[in-house]
Amino acid sequence: MDTVGVIGCGEMGRMLVDGFLSSGVLRADEVVVSSRSKGSLDTCAAAWPGIGIAATNTELARQCRLIIIAVRPQEIMAVLREIAPVMDGSEHIVSLAAGVGLADLESVFWGSVTRTVPTITSRAWQGTTLICHGHRVGAGDAIRVEELLSSIGDVMLVGEDELAVATLLSSCGPGLLVAIIEEMAQAASRAGDLSYDRALSLATGMAMATAACMRKAGEAPPDLIRRVATGGGMTEVGVQELRERLPMIFDEVFAAMLERHGALERWCGRKSP
Ligand SMILES: NC(=O)c1ccc[n+]([C@@H]2O[C@H](COP(=O)([O-])OP(=O)(O)OC[C@H]3O[C@@H](n4cnc5c(N)ncnc54)[C@H](OP(=O)(O)O)[C@@H]3O)[C@@H](O)[C@H]2O)c1
């Protein structure tokens, strides 16, 4: 593989580099990183001996054909404008910036551009990274990015019109699920003589086992629920309560998150207010 560049060594940039190196899909000498602060670069150099450290983003752009930009949405256009003059259009830009559309990125860089939405669960080699290729991305470049990101978990190709809602599930979802697991544990400890710590341990183990069971059985959720909820039993009562209230709650939760996504897009200049 050609050298892969990662601009921005924050949470996501470091997680990707760590995943690529730990999985063996890239060697340290096949990765170059750049970041705003020397502190972040020193951390990278200490964590991954042999990794390439570029003093500036333009120095990185001169060395790499595949460039992953892992800075915050409000920072990406400035980074792209900074490196555009040293690129010849043969590079492939991969953006992690939520809410910054392909059209905006392609208006500054005339080569191939892909948007991707990783998930924090890739730290555990689980979860799905979303990939949305722009129309200028050739088959070879597309496959290369998909192979690279497959090294840290599953990947799913999505259209840009699907990206916002898919992001709510794959990337925001871990936050939602942790909140639900925590609420279940708190309710259990309020309801009886079980400490919160022990309830959280049970709830977490149950959630992991249930997800594994859903994936292994490949059954539709109602079929799986039928196996657990014997007629007239405790689970049936609980599921009925949830079925009555959860659709409205989740519709409100998703509407609120999509509204924030729209605000982020407007803030980053994709849409006029
Ligand atoms: N966190 C998530 O779960 C998640 C999930 C999916 C997508 N994303 C997306 O991933 C991107 C990064 O998120 P994050 O959570 O990793 O943010 P973060 O921890 O704040 O990291 C952003 C990094 O960008 C670097 N940076 C800022 N301006 C720069 C510049 N001009 N040149 C080079 N580096 C620069 C900063 O470097 P210094 O540290 O050197 O100052 C910082 O470490 C965002 O666009 C976000 O939308 C995040």
Side-chain angles (χ1 to χ4, degrees):
M1 279 196 174
D2 296 338
T3 307
V4 174
V6 178
I7 297 180
C9 298
E11 280 292 324
M12 286 292 119
R14 287 202 309 272
M15 184 192 80
L16 290 178
V17 173
D18 198 47
F20 297 155
L21 299 183
S22 315
S23 69
V25 73
L26 292 175
R27 295 187 314 262
D29 63 1
E30 292 172 316
V31 181
V32 178
V33 295
S34 64
S35 207
R36 186 174 44 193
S37 70
K38 186 174 173 313
S40 293
L41 292 177
D42 290 346
T43 303
C44 293
W48 305 298
I51 200 172
I53 305 284
T56 62
N57 297 332
T58 47
E59 187 185 310
L60 179 147
R62 284 197 182 93
Q63 296 175 44
C64 306
R65 257 207 77 243
L66 176 56
I67 301 170
I68 300 172
I69 308 185
V71 302
R72 293 195 177 176
Q74 62 271 32
E75 292 154 344
I76 191 166
M77 296 307 284
V79 169
L80 206 47
R81 285 194 191 95
E82 179 191 346
I83 62 175
V86 302
M87 298 194 287
D88 63 14
S90 66
E91 300 82 0
H92 184 184
I93 295 290
V94 176
S95 161
L96 267 67
V100 182
L102 287 169
D104 279 330
L105 300 165
E106 289 168 347
S107 72
V108 174
F109 175 62
W110 52 98
S112 47
V113 179
T114 291
R115 289 180 65 185
T116 180
V117 183
T119 164
I120 203 84
T121 59
S122 293
R123 285 180 189 285
W125 314 101
Q126 304 277 333
T128 305
T129 299
L130 304 174
I131 300 176
C132 172
H133 295 301
H135 65 285
R136 299 178 194 152
V137 179
D141 283 345
I143 289 169
R144 187 165 176 236
V145 165
E146 289 158 26
E147 281 176 354
L148 206 52
L149 293 171
S150 295
S151 72
I152 59 167
D154 295 333
V155 297
M156 182 185 279
L157 294 177
V158 291
E160 199 167 28
D161 51 345
E162 299 173 304
L163 202 56
V165 175
T167 296
L168 301 188
L169 287 172
S170 68
S171 184
C172 307
L176 302 184
L177 200 55
V178 171
I180 291 168
I181 291 169
E182 202 182 10
E183 288 296 338
M184 286 179 84
Q186 280 171 354
S189 66
R190 282 194 301 268
D193 292 331
L194 191 63
S195 73
Y196 171 71
D197 287 348
R198 279 158 69 77
L200 185 62
S201 171
L202 280 176
T204 306
M206 173 278 296
M208 288 168 64
T210 306
C213 202
M214 279 178 82
R215 182 158 273 192
K216 187 171 178 215
E219 283 176 311
D223 295 333
L224 211 52
I225 290 173
R226 261 193 296 278
R227 287 174 182 274
V228 195
T230 46
M234 297 174 288
T235 314
E236 190 181 54
V237 174
V239 170
Q240 255 170 20
E241 287 277 331
L242 287 179
R243 289 285 196 214
E244 276 168 30
R245 299 192 220 168
L246 276 190
M248 195 183 72
I249 293 172
F250 271 103
D251 284 349
E252 285 174 8
V253 166
F254 274 65
M257 290 197 295
L258 280 177
E259 196 179 312
R260 181 61 58 89
H261 184 271
L264 190 62
E265 281 182 332
R266 287 192 294 278
W267 193 41
C268 294
R270 183 179 170 195
K271 286 180 178 173
S272 53

